Amino acid sequence: MPDIDTTAPRRAWIALRIGIVIFGCGTVLMSGSYFALAWFIDALLIEGRDIADSEQIGAMIDAATMSAVVLFFGGFLLSAVSYGFFYFRAMTLARQLEPEHATVSAHGMWWWYAVPFANLWKPLEGVMQVWRALRTHAGLDPAVPWVFGLWWSIWVVGSFILKVVDRVHPGADIDSAIHTVPADALGYLQWKALGVPVHLVSAIALWWISARIYAAHSAAPVIAASEPVPGDAQPAV
């Protein structure tokens, strides 16, 4: 039986941090662009100007949307890929060192996100299991802190609310509403401007959690073939 590879995925952790930073920048820019567009439309309504005749609004929408989307989704994509690799490695080790604390499969750390309804709790369960297993083996406090609830509740509830707004708000078809019912477009932009930043709080919470998991992962000792079967071994002190 070969040694268990306990090497922490340093590159994945670096990529995850970079992705979160880019995602955060995109989130701030997207929220700012929504606020700017809402302010612009509000100013036109107050002045009684015809939005349909304003070329400025079209240029602002295009510029703000393109720049925000590139950063927001670029950061999200990098974060998602690095998150999947990082937690795949972490769960692989957790299942070897503390199998009683880790029942979610390593591959499940990313594919549970694609399973309807189960994706509301299984990814959170997987990260909590990694936390308990690696911190237990490293001799650290395995209790799950409140930050987990902050991270996951904001991610799930925030995503749900934004999707509902996109589907049911009369101003969601921004290109049409801005020329027909500007007030609806204004209301939609205000909702988005307030809703998008909540994901930044979730991302910061994920950074906090992942940093401590990485530290526990890095502290895990190598278990050689001559040592007891993983699960029977005592936590390192």
Side-chain angles (χ1 to χ4, degrees):
M1 173 181 172
D3 292 350
I4 295 175
D5 180 13
T6 63
T7 304
R10 183 172 179 272
R11 291 181 180 178
W13 171 227
I14 292 174
L16 180 58
R17 285 183 291 174
I18 293 174
I20 290 176
V21 170
I22 296 175
F23 175 78
C25 292
T27 298
V28 172
L29 180 58
M30 184 172 286
S31 178
S33 66
Y34 284 136
F35 269 119
L37 289 172
W39 172 84
F40 185 77
I41 293 174
D42 190 45
L44 291 181
L45 290 175
I46 291 175
E47 295 174 6
R49 294 172 58 186
D50 185 2
I51 292 179
D53 295 334
S54 176
E55 295 183 358
Q56 279 184 284
I57 192 66
M60 286 184 65
I61 289 176
D62 290 341
T65 300
M66 287 303 297
S67 56
V69 164
V70 168
L71 278 178
F72 185 85
F73 288 104
F76 178 80
L77 181 60
L78 178 58
S79 298
V81 172
S82 54
Y83 171 96
F85 182 68
F86 179 85
Y87 280 100
F88 173 85
R89 286 282 301 279
M91 179 56 86
T92 298
L93 178 63
R95 287 172 60 85
Q96 292 173 311
L97 298 180
E98 300 287 338
E100 69 276 13
H101 291 292
T103 58
V104 173
S105 71
H107 288 94
M109 295 300 290
W110 54 269
W111 63 252
W112 274 118
Y113 280 94
V115 180
F117 301 110
N119 59 10
L120 296 177
W121 77 88
K122 291 298 289 186
L124 172 63
E125 180 183 344
V127 175
M128 289 193 299
Q129 289 183 5
V130 168
W131 175 277
R132 294 191 187 101
L134 295 187
R135 289 179 67 85
T136 294
H137 194 78
L140 302 171
D141 182 8
V144 175
W146 60 269
V147 180
F148 277 78
L150 178 68
W151 162 54
W152 195 247
S153 61
I154 288 180
W155 176 256
V156 172
V157 176
S159 298
F160 175 77
I161 291 176
L162 288 176
K163 287 182 179 179
V164 169
V165 170
D166 284 337
R167 287 182 176 273
V168 305
H169 197 285
D173 185 359
I174 190 72
D175 289 332
S176 175
I178 211 166
H179 296 295
T180 55
V181 189
D184 286 345
L186 176 61
Y188 173 74
L189 289 170
Q190 290 171 336
W191 266 102
K192 297 290 283 187
L194 294 173
V196 168
V198 301
H199 287 307
L200 182 58
V201 178
S202 180
I204 293 172
L206 176 61
W207 181 308
W208 188 94
I209 293 168
S210 301
R212 282 147 185 80
I213 287 177
Y214 178 77
H217 194 160
S218 301
V222 174
I223 296 181
S226 59
E227 296 184 23
V229 175
D232 294 333
Q234 295 298 314
V237 295

